[in-house]
Amino acid sequence: MSEEKLELDSDNAVYRTLLESTKAIPWKIDWVTMKFAYIGPQIEPLLGWKQDSWLTVEDWATRMHPEDRDYVVNFCVAQSKAGVDHEADYRALTKSDGYVWIRDVVHVVRNEQGEVDSLIGFMFDISERKKSEEKLIILQKELEALSFKDSLTGVANRRKFESALDTEWASARRNGQPLSLIVVDVDFFKQYNDYYGHIRGDECLKQIAQALGLSVTRSRDIVARFGGEEFVLVLPETDANAALHVAERCKRKLENLQIPHEASTIGRFVSASMGVGTIKPSAEMEAKDFVEAVDKLLYKAKQNGRNRIECSNL
């Protein structure tokens, strides 16, 4: 054996030792036959499949989570045909029916004619990274939910109300559908706080918010605390009659609470005044003008004796 051949064999042995001592799993696929020319022995401890069981790309595809398979296979084939190096994340199935998150980093090798000759790459176990990403996503969703929730009552806060109103306003204008809004103000709440104290006042607001929440039934309906003792209900695709029915339901539920209010001048229990407005938005209208108009209806209800509903088609 020539000295040059011995040196080449020695180099190859060194390269293979280096490749097989890393956690990354090296592999090579012949493009014409679509067969594995090589895959590192690290594959067996990771997935349970023996090294010599990886024969063709079919073995790679079928050992992939069904939900990931079509997209990843089609993506990798398209990129490889185009001669573009690429990466793909997917869940590789283990022999014990579990799965491991894998990142495949693929390099496309071309021959002298510029045609695809083979694919070489590394598989990386990214399961821990994926777990961290999933925890972060859950945390972000929790923080987002908290940022849209009133900390005292648990219903949506003003920020959520404004966001929902903008969305529903645009939808109603686009589809020519009615949009209704109910503004609720607890009667003589300042006197309630002065008489019973702020702790009882907070409990009162919590009960009212819960009652209002039980008055709506559709997923798009929003109950929000507008500020202080004022609440708002956004009712998409709701005409004036239906909105009035919701307001009357709110009024009944609040009456059923029978929260004592010795400082009220209109009754023995906590009550609320409501303004109810319905509109089909046009291009010239703005949502803030709608809110102001419904707020005027609430003011009218308070002027006319409180514990009542004033409604209008706007």
Side-chain angles (χ1 to χ4, degrees), residues 46-291:
L46 181 63
L47 300 180
W49 307 100
K50 289 187 177 297
Q51 184 181 13
D52 59 11
S53 71
W54 295 79
L55 303 177
T56 71
V57 291
E58 284 298 313
D59 297 309
W60 169 71
T62 56
R63 292 168 181 176
M64 194 181 300
H65 197 290
E67 293 177 6
D68 302 338
R69 188 176 299 143
D70 287 345
Y71 169 75
V72 172
V73 171
N74 292 336
F75 170 75
C76 289
V77 169
Q79 295 295 98
S80 299
K81 283 181 177 179
V84 178
D85 293 350
H86 54 279
E87 297 180 3
D89 293 355
Y90 58 88
R91 289 164 290 180
L93 299 176
T94 66
K95 196 172 183 180
S96 59
D97 295 326
Y99 69 84
V100 173
W101 271 103
I102 293 291
R103 172 164 294 169
D104 246 329
V105 179
V106 185
H107 172 61
V108 182
V109 179
R110 293 177 176 274
N111 58 27
E112 293 179 356
Q113 290 74 40
E115 300 167 335
V116 178
D117 175 77
S118 59
L119 307 176
I120 60 173
F122 287 91
M123 293 181 183
F124 295 89
D125 177 2
I126 59 169
S127 298
E128 289 303 316
R129 183 185 307 174
K130 281 292 180 180
K131 287 179 184 177
S132 298
E133 289 174 0
E134 288 168 2
K135 288 179 182 177
L136 182 60
I137 290 170
I138 291 171
L139 180 60
Q140 286 173 334
K141 287 181 178 179
E142 289 175 350
L143 289 173
E144 183 178 342
L146 288 172
S147 71
F148 283 127
K149 185 180 289 187
D150 178 60
S151 59
L152 174 65
T153 63
V155 298
N157 60 16
R158 183 163 181 164
R159 179 183 175 194
K160 176 63 177 178
F161 159 68
E162 291 173 348
S163 173
L165 181 63
D166 287 344
T167 299
E168 297 301 348
W169 182 266
S171 176
R173 184 163 57 187
R174 183 172 59 252
N175 300 319
Q177 293 288 335
L179 175 65
S180 291
L181 184 69
I182 302 175
V183 183
V184 181
D185 187 82
V186 182
D187 294 325
F188 301 113
F189 188 71
K190 181 181 183 303
Q191 289 82 348
Y192 185 95
N193 262 340
D194 291 343
Y195 189 88
Y196 294 100
H198 288 286
I199 294 177
R200 287 277 295 275
D202 287 350
E203 288 303 316
C204 175
L205 291 176
K206 289 177 185 177
Q207 291 181 66
I208 289 170
Q210 185 177 26
L212 295 176
L214 293 172
S215 300
V216 296
T217 57
R218 303 176 306 171
S219 59
R220 283 172 62 191
D221 295 340
I222 295 289
V223 177
R225 187 180 179 196
F226 195 62
E229 67 274 18
E230 199 166 79
F231 296 85
V232 285
L233 287 77
V234 181
L235 308 174
E237 298 182 15
T238 304
D239 62 24
N241 286 333
L244 179 58
H245 286 315
V246 174
E248 289 171 341
R249 193 184 308 138
C250 290
K251 190 171 184 297
R252 286 195 302 271
K253 287 190 177 294
L254 294 182
E255 289 170 350
N256 291 339
L257 291 174
Q258 293 194 334
I259 303 172
H261 192 345
E262 295 294 334
S264 174
T265 61
I266 59 171
R268 297 166 49 209
F269 303 107
V270 168
S271 62
S273 302
M274 303 182 197
V276 183
T278 301
I279 197 170
K280 283 188 178 180
S282 68
E284 298 77 28
M285 299 175 179
E286 293 188 17
K288 65 180 181 63
D289 297 325
F290 178 44
V291 176

Side-chain angles (χ1 to χ4, degrees), residues 8-70:
L8 181 60
D9 288 345
S10 175
D11 287 345
N12 287 339
V14 170
Y15 293 147
R16 175 164 294 201
T17 299
L18 288 172
L19 287 173
E20 295 181 357
S21 64
T22 65
K23 289 185 177 181
I25 303 167
W27 55 265
K28 180 179 181 181
I29 290 175
D30 179 73
W31 182 253
V32 176
T33 63
M34 288 293 167
K35 292 182 177 179
F36 275 94
Y38 176 77
I39 191 165
Q42 305 99 313
I43 196 72
E44 185 174 351
L46 181 63
L47 300 180
W49 307 100
K50 289 187 177 297
Q51 184 181 13
D52 59 11
S53 71
W54 295 79
L55 303 177
T56 71
V57 291
E58 284 298 313
D59 297 309
W60 169 71
T62 56
R63 292 168 181 176
M64 194 181 300
H65 197 290
E67 293 177 6
D68 302 338
R69 188 176 299 143
D70 287 345

